[in-house]
Amino acid sequence: MDRARNSHRSPRGESRMTILAKIVSLLSLTRVYNIALIAAAQYLSCIFFFTSRPPDFSVLTDPHFFVLVVCTWMTIAAGYIINFFYDKNKDLVNSPVKSRIDGFVSQATTLKLYLTLNALAVAASLYVSLRSGVFFAGFAFLLWFYSHKLKKIPLVSNLSLAAVAIVPLFAVFFYRKIVDIQVVVSHGLFLFFLLVAMSMLNDLNNRRGDAVFGYRTLPVVWGERAAASAAAAVLAAAAACTAAVLVFERGNAFFLYFLVAGAGLLCGTVALLVLPADRTFRTILVGIKLLILVGLLCIPLRVVPL
């Protein structure tokens, strides 16, 4: 009798597990945690950077800006999906556990979701303006073009990935139209070089899988040591940007973040040049991710006097 009950319940239990697994797969595939950070960056930038008198919290109750953030989320989620579609074979070598989780949803379903998210993003952005619709249509195309073509070109792949990651902040610029060019350029270059270095280090960590499937990344084409030296040069450039940022952030508590960040980036530069090894690559990669996260959380310090 117990066996009969178990056999009767098992299909329902398996169905629930399947649904749960698909939900987890979709959340992992679209990298919800990254998208949440980008949305936070958009709001914080609008409150503390793209305004004449920071902080300006009016954006929190603005439906137009909320639509822009949601459209950004949908477009980036679609970008992650198409990137997985192109990289699923090499990810089985570089990230086997995550690849299996991401691949739980069928290819047909993921492609339909990709098209749906992009279509919804463009359609919803028209609520804000026609220019917003054109912007998100172009952004969706740029994400596809990166996965299809740009990421196969050494160095161009690293630079284009960093550029694509910064594009969502331009949505904020188009919305606010208030910007101190010098401040934004210095902060933007700092973030850009961090993202380029992170991309290069990610290639160093994934060089074995990239080599197996013929991906022409810097470590595969130039060799491990030369690629590590290139990443070190980019870290040094990011450290140099902190000197420019410190000029604009003097007098507020955000100054301290860039002071510590500059010192940490110089240490990472030396480590890459002196000890280019797997442990060094992984450690610095994690350090850059933490640096970006802490920097995001420290943005409100711009209005705190030092």
Side-chain angles (χ1 to χ4, degrees):
M1 185 179 294
D2 290 339
R3 290 181 180 177
R5 288 178 180 176
N6 290 337
S7 63
H8 177 70
R9 293 177 181 177
S10 59
R12 183 181 298 177
E14 289 178 2
S15 177
R16 289 175 179 174
M17 289 299 295
T18 301
I19 294 173
L20 180 61
K22 288 184 177 181
I23 292 174
V24 173
S25 178
L26 287 173
L27 291 176
S28 175
L29 181 62
T30 55
R31 303 189 189 184
V32 174
Y33 43 87
N34 283 353
I35 295 173
L37 290 178
I38 293 172
Q42 286 181 303
Y43 269 104
L44 290 172
S45 297
C46 205
I47 293 170
F48 295 99
F49 277 103
F50 295 93
T51 177
S52 56
R53 294 182 180 179
D56 182 359
F57 294 103
S58 62
V59 70
L60 296 177
T61 57
D62 189 330
H64 289 85
F65 189 77
F66 175 75
V67 170
L68 286 178
V69 172
V70 172
C71 290
T72 303
W73 169 79
M74 289 190 289
T75 308
I76 293 176
Y80 282 130
I81 290 173
I82 200 65
N83 191 63
F84 168 76
F85 176 78
Y86 281 105
D87 287 354
K88 58 185 177 181
N89 289 328
K90 77 159 187 171
D91 287 343
L92 287 172
V93 177
N94 294 330
S95 307
V97 176
K98 187 179 186 307
S99 181
R100 291 191 185 95
I101 294 174
D102 293 349
F104 198 85
V105 180
S106 69
Q107 178 175 303
T109 300
T110 55
L111 289 178
K112 288 178 183 177
L113 182 60
Y114 165 74
L115 295 173
T116 301
L117 287 171
N118 279 327
L120 287 175
V122 174
S125 64
L126 293 174
Y127 168 74
V128 180
S129 68
L130 177 60
R131 184 171 58 176
S132 297
V134 174
F135 174 85
F136 282 102
F139 187 30
F141 172 79
L142 185 61
L143 289 172
W144 168 81
F145 190 63
Y146 163 76
S147 297
H148 177 67
K149 195 74 175 179
L150 296 179
K151 73 180 305 177
K152 299 176 182 178
I153 307 173
L155 188 57
V156 172
S157 63
N158 307 111
L159 297 174
S160 58
L161 178 59
V164 165
I166 294 178
V167 165
L169 296 180
F170 282 95
V172 181
F173 170 72
F174 287 140
Y175 179 77
R176 280 293 202 184
K177 302 177 184 177
I178 300 173
V179 58
D180 187 334
I181 294 297
Q182 292 179 322
V183 173
V184 170
V185 168
S186 59
H187 286 77
L189 285 175
F190 169 74
L191 178 59
F192 175 77
F193 285 125
L194 280 185
L195 293 171
V196 173
M198 189 167 70
S199 175
M200 288 180 168
L201 288 166
N202 195 53
D203 286 344
L204 282 164
N205 286 322
N206 296 334
R207 62 189 184 278
R208 295 178 181 86
D210 291 340
V212 169
F213 289 99
Y215 281 75
R216 291 173 53 80
T217 60
L218 287 184
V220 175
V221 176
W222 291 4
E224 179 182 332
R225 183 170 290 274
S229 298
V234 175
L235 280 185
C241 287
T242 61
V245 174
L246 288 172
V247 174
F248 299 107
E249 299 298 344
R250 63 180 183 274
N252 64 61
F254 204 21
F255 177 93
L256 299 176
Y257 164 78
F258 285 100
L259 201 62
V260 174
L265 289 171
L266 288 175
C267 292
T269 301
V270 174
L272 283 174
L273 292 173
V274 175
L275 189 62
D278 287 348
R279 181 175 296 181
T280 304
F281 304 149
R282 288 192 296 268
T283 302
I284 297 178
L285 180 60
V286 171
I288 292 175
K289 290 180 179 180
L290 288 175
L291 196 62
I292 293 174
L293 175 60
V294 173
L296 175 64
L297 297 176
C298 288
I299 289 178
L301 295 178
R302 291 199 79 215
V303 296
V304 179
L306 186 60

